[in-house]
Amino acid sequence: MSEPQGAGTGEGSTQRLPVVERGTGTETEPGPYESGVPDAPATGRAGRFWSARRVPAGIVALVLLLLSGAFLYDVAAVRAGRSALGWRRDLARQLAERPVDDTWVLVGAGVAAALGLWLLVLALTPGLRRLLPMRRTHPGVRAGLHRDAAATVLRDRAMEVSGVQAARVRMRRRRARVRALSHFRELDDVRADLDGVLDGAVLGLGLARPPAVSLRVKRPGRKG
């Protein structure tokens, strides 16, 4: 019996869909991470993403603006023939009279050193630790995957394994910790299946540095 062609799209109707055969030159190119297709070669170094640090930069800029504005106003007032403000005279006197080993001087120096060290750490580290860089398959394109999304993918793949009752994944930059509960089947068999599934899932994420998988499988605890 031949199938009807050009039928409507209402309920119970049949519509013949176009068929794309291999070798015609019109088929869609498979993705680089599809099963059976080799991964696309990397075209550049996939470094970590750098944070803009807008909040620390804004706070520092605001503090410097207020301090420089106050000092500039006081200097302009003195140049105009007025006396210096009281807080600047008190500050100059305190700096001149207090010894270097005074408690408040040491506390202020410690706070300033800690603040400076914090700013240096922010300036020299990339930040955005929860964003994992992916392999670069095109020169002008960079992509990243959030840790929570990667953990969700691994957890969903682990739950597909027969015998797994629950799974929990903690994703880090270098390691993925997977904890699974198995309520039937032998633990060794479940662990072997999980090893294969999770290794393939990690490679399928397309990360520049695939994390190592730390797997632990156990029985659920007894209730009561």
Side-chain angles (χ1 to χ4, degrees), residues 41-58:
T43 58
R45 181 177 178 272
R48 290 179 57 188
F49 291 87
W50 282 76
S51 174
R53 311 288 191 188
R54 292 184 178 90
V55 174

Side-chain angles (χ1 to χ4, degrees), residues 21-221:
E21 298 180 354
R22 294 186 177 273
T24 59
T26 59
E27 57 187 351
T28 306
E29 289 289 336
Y33 307 118
E34 289 186 8
S35 176
V37 181
D39 293 342
T43 58
R45 181 177 178 272
R48 290 179 57 188
F49 291 87
W50 282 76
S51 174
R53 311 288 191 188
R54 292 184 178 90
V55 174
I59 294 175
V60 173
L62 181 61
V63 171
L64 292 179
L65 178 63
L66 294 177
L67 291 177
S68 59
F71 277 105
L72 181 60
Y73 173 80
D74 191 51
V75 170
V78 172
R79 291 292 184 179
R82 299 180 180 179
S83 60
L85 296 177
W87 64 269
R88 193 161 73 95
R89 293 196 303 268
D90 294 339
L91 179 61
R93 184 175 67 255
Q94 292 290 338
L95 293 176
E97 295 177 355
R98 285 186 179 272
V100 179
D101 58 350
D102 185 77
T103 303
W104 289 107
V105 174
L106 295 178
V107 170
V111 172
L115 181 60
L117 180 61
W118 177 61
L119 293 176
L120 286 176
V121 170
L122 291 180
L124 298 177
T125 54
L128 296 179
R129 297 179 60 86
R130 302 189 67 83
L131 194 61
L132 304 175
M134 303 180 68
R135 285 196 301 267
R136 300 185 64 178
T137 57
H138 298 280
V141 178
R142 294 189 64 195
L145 183 64
H146 200 276
R147 282 186 189 178
D148 293 341
T152 301
V153 172
L154 297 184
R155 184 192 62 194
D156 292 344
R157 293 297 303 274
M159 291 297 297
E160 295 175 358
V161 175
S162 177
V164 175
Q165 180 183 17
R168 184 179 61 182
V169 180
R170 296 185 62 184
M171 196 74 177
R172 296 290 183 266
R173 289 195 303 118
R174 308 248 180 215
R175 184 175 296 274
R177 300 183 182 275
V178 182
R179 301 294 180 261
L181 298 179
S182 176
H183 57 301
F184 71 93
R185 296 183 66 197
E186 293 294 333
L187 292 183
D188 293 338
D189 296 339
V190 176
R191 185 179 296 107
D193 291 346
L194 282 173
D195 282 333
V197 168
L198 292 176
D199 289 343
V202 168
L203 294 178
L205 294 176
L207 300 178
R209 294 182 178 180
V213 178
S214 174
L215 176 61
R216 181 180 178 184
V217 184
K218 63 180 182 179
R219 297 293 186 190

